[in-house]
């Protein structure tokens, strides 16, 4: 069964996230799950998108753009699937994401860059405390259906993130990596 977040209500938030390549996103998208163009790895959840005025939005985008300059695409590995919040109102299926040993450690660096960008941006918005510990993951579906483990596990393996998305309630800016 689909959950509350499956109705798109999670799109009202704000975030800084890594975006998989178009090819990887299309390969990962599962029937009944998140659309390929919405698959992402959240580096930092920022709260409600409506809380940010245009000036604050621009400041965050500018800070992320400055820090991402010269950052190469990040090749990682989807190494497992997990069912989060299975007994709650918003169960979700996520892929656990780790650094690919052949490509070095870069997920933590990207996560740190997102936090640094927020420190640099002159904004007047109280940000929610981040979840601890930070766990690199990509949500494949908001669902309580247990049989989704099969398509989730069929998609395990390498994934490359080639953009950073800064999104505010569906209004997003993609910043290419390696440019």
């Amino acid at each position: 069964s689909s959950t509350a977040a499956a109705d798109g209500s999670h799109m009202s938030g704000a975030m800084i996230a890594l975006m998989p390549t178009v090819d990887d996103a299309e390969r990962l998208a599962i029937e009944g799950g998140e659309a390929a163009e919405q698959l992402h790895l959240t580096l930092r959840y920022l709260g409600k998108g409506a809380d940010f005025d245009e000036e604050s939005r621009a400041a965050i985008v500018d800070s992320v753009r400055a820090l991402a300059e010269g950052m190469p695409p990040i090749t990682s590995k989807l190494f497992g699937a997990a069912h989060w919040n299975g007994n709650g109102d918003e169960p979700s299926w996520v892929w656990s994401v780790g650094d690919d040993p052949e490509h070095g450690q870069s997920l933590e660096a990207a996560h740190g860059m997102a936090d640094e960008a927020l420190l640099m941006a002159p904004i007047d918005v109280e940000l929610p405390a981040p979840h601890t510990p930070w766990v690199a993951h990509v949500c494949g579906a908001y669902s309580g259906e247990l049989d989704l483990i099969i398509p989730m596990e069929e998609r395990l393996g390498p994934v490359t993130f080639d953009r950073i998305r800064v999104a505010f309630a569906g209004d997003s800016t993609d910043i290419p990596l390696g440019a």
Side-chain angles (χ1 to χ4, degrees):
S1 62
S2 294
T3 65
D7 65 6
S9 61
H10 62 290
M11 299 288 289
S12 65
M15 68 175 181
I16 301 171
L18 290 172
M19 303 300 293
T21 65
V22 171
D23 287 346
D24 278 344
E26 288 174 1
R27 177 181 57 81
L28 294 174
I30 61 174
E31 186 177 335
E34 287 287 270
E37 61 272 7
Q38 296 304 322
L39 292 171
H40 64 274
L41 187 154
T42 303
L43 296 171
R44 185 66 156 79
Y45 175 68
L46 306 177
K48 295 179 183 175
D51 290 347
F52 295 84
D53 61 22
E54 287 302 317
E55 189 174 302
S56 294
R57 291 176 181 208
I60 293 170
V61 168
D62 289 347
S63 293
V64 170
R65 190 181 317 276
L67 291 172
E69 188 175 327
M71 181 183 278
I74 297 170
T75 299
S76 300
K77 185 176 182 179
L78 304 179
F79 66 87
H83 195 218
W84 285 8
N85 305 315
N87 62 351
D89 292 337
E90 295 185 0
S92 59
W93 281 100
V94 302
W95 286 286
S96 301
V97 185
D99 287 321
D100 184 330
E102 292 182 25
H103 293 91
Q105 297 182 350
S106 40
L107 290 172
E108 287 292 339
H111 181 244
M113 181 276 305
D115 284 339
E116 187 177 343
L118 293 171
L119 291 173
M120 288 174 46
I123 60 172
D124 189 25
V125 177
E126 186 171 336
L127 299 173
H131 292 287
T132 57
W134 177 69
V135 178
H137 68 280
V138 173
C139 181
Y142 290 96
S143 174
E145 295 296 326
L146 298 180
D147 60 352
L148 288 180
I149 188 67
I150 295 167
M152 293 289 289
E153 286 203 350
E154 289 174 345
R155 289 158 173 80
L156 297 179
V159 60
T160 298
F161 299 98
D162 66 351
R163 295 164 284 142
I164 296 177
R165 176 169 289 173
V166 184
F168 301 94
D171 178 25
S172 60
T173 301
D174 285 356
I175 300 163
L177 295 175

